[in-house]
Amino acid sequence: MLGLDRNCTEVQIRAAYRMLSKQHHPDVNNGSRDAVAQTQALNSAYEILSDAERRESYDSELAEAEKSVRSKVSTKDRNITEEIHLRLDEFFRGTTRDVHINDPGNPNGREVYELVVPPATAPGTRFRLPRDDGGFVAIRVRVLPHFQFKVRGTDLRCDLKISFRVAAQGGEQMIKDVFGSMLRVKIPARVARGEIIRITGEGLPRARGGRGDLLVRVMYQPEVKITRRAS
């Protein structure tokens, strides 16, 4: 408040107080509220700094506060954000990974932590692993690209190729699910190319329970016949 160094003398404190008191006195500032507030703050600061015991206590509290700020900054600097890509089945069954950190700024050397991904974990879930000397590793789980399925949130998308006869008449087709088991898909008659058939509850785990859906896009080649015109 007085604009002085922590090691200032009593003479410097008194001089600074007198100068600032005259500068911010309400009588020379038309009685403004800011001047009144500044004067009150100056008086409070001078009461503390002019008393040896109160000044010592104030300096001790200030040092602790600065130490806490430095500690928070240091801890924040140790925070790390990473991503890991898992297979589709690992979101259902769970998995365990070892997280290795080689931080030259860590005096204790290499760090190793265990990441446990429990069964029924939703894509995008974040895990926070505390580091030994402060800070944490934040790891977000994502889906490893798959040859058959595309992921949209917790929904899975795939293509199903059928014949034009099945497209015209309707019927049932089989596709593999994420575990490799066969899943029955009902095809409505006269289905359009590119139409999406939604199979409820056959997607990936959701964060609040349950599963997303499987969206099957129907693909087929229409029958084309070319004939000669009668002359």
Side-chain angles (χ1 to χ4, degrees):
M1 186 68 204
L2 297 178
L4 298 172
D5 184 81
R6 188 178 297 178
N7 298 319
C8 62
T9 64
E10 292 183 12
V11 174
Q12 291 173 320
I13 293 173
R14 192 178 303 110
Y17 170 69
R18 288 175 178 173
M19 180 189 70
L20 292 172
S21 293
K22 291 179 180 179
Q23 179 181 342
H24 296 287
H25 198 282
D27 291 345
V28 297
N29 289 277
N30 297 321
S32 72
R33 292 183 179 179
D34 288 343
V36 173
Q38 286 280 3
T39 299
Q40 292 174 345
L42 285 168
N43 291 338
S44 178
Y46 182 69
E47 287 180 8
I48 294 174
L49 298 179
S50 61
D51 185 296
E53 290 185 3
R54 296 181 69 181
R55 179 179 176 181
E56 182 180 357
S57 176
Y58 172 78
D59 286 344
S60 177
E61 292 178 3
L62 188 61
E64 285 296 323
E66 291 176 348
K67 180 180 179 182
S68 176
V69 170
R70 287 195 299 271
S71 175
K72 289 180 180 179
V73 172
S74 175
T75 299
K76 184 178 179 180
D77 288 342
R78 288 177 54 79
N79 295 344
I80 301 173
T81 301
E82 252 323 323
E83 289 186 350
I84 181 175
H85 289 78
L86 305 178
R87 300 191 312 269
L88 291 176
D89 62 287
E90 290 176 318
F91 285 93
F92 292 95
R93 297 169 177 161
T95 185
T96 302
R97 295 285 194 275
D98 286 332
V99 180
H100 300 262
I101 300 175
N102 188 10
D103 184 353
N106 183 7
N108 297 323
R110 187 183 298 272
E111 305 166 61
V112 181
Y113 304 103
E114 184 181 61
L115 170 65
V116 178
V117 180
T121 292
T125 300
R126 297 177 186 271
F127 296 90
R128 176 181 280 193
L129 306 179
R131 297 180 67 182
D132 293 337
D133 296 324
F136 57 83
V137 186
I139 300 178
R140 187 174 186 175
V141 291
R142 294 190 177 276
V143 181
L144 196 66
H146 193 272
F147 72 95
Q148 179 184 357
F149 298 105
K150 292 183 179 180
V151 179
R152 296 291 184 274
T154 57
D155 289 341
L156 294 174
R157 293 174 176 265
C158 70
D159 291 344
L160 174 61
K161 293 183 179 181
I162 61 175
S163 68
F164 78 92
R165 290 186 178 84
V166 173
Q169 300 171 5
E172 292 186 346
Q173 297 287 298
M174 305 297 290
I175 62 170
K176 289 185 177 180
D177 63 13
V178 293
F179 302 107
S181 301
M182 301 309 294
L183 186 66
R184 194 180 305 276
V185 181
K186 293 183 178 180
I187 309 296
R190 304 184 64 80
V191 65
R193 277 199 304 169
E195 185 171 329
I196 302 295
I197 298 175
R198 181 182 295 270
I199 304 178
T200 304
E202 290 294 337
L204 292 172
R206 288 175 173 164
R208 297 183 178 180
R211 292 172 59 179
D213 299 335
L214 174 59
L215 307 179
V216 181
R217 184 173 65 169
V218 176
M219 304 296 292
Y220 62 86
Q221 184 66 38
E223 182 181 36
V224 179
K225 292 182 178 180
I226 301 176
T227 60
R228 183 185 300 273
R229 285 188 176 183
S231 57

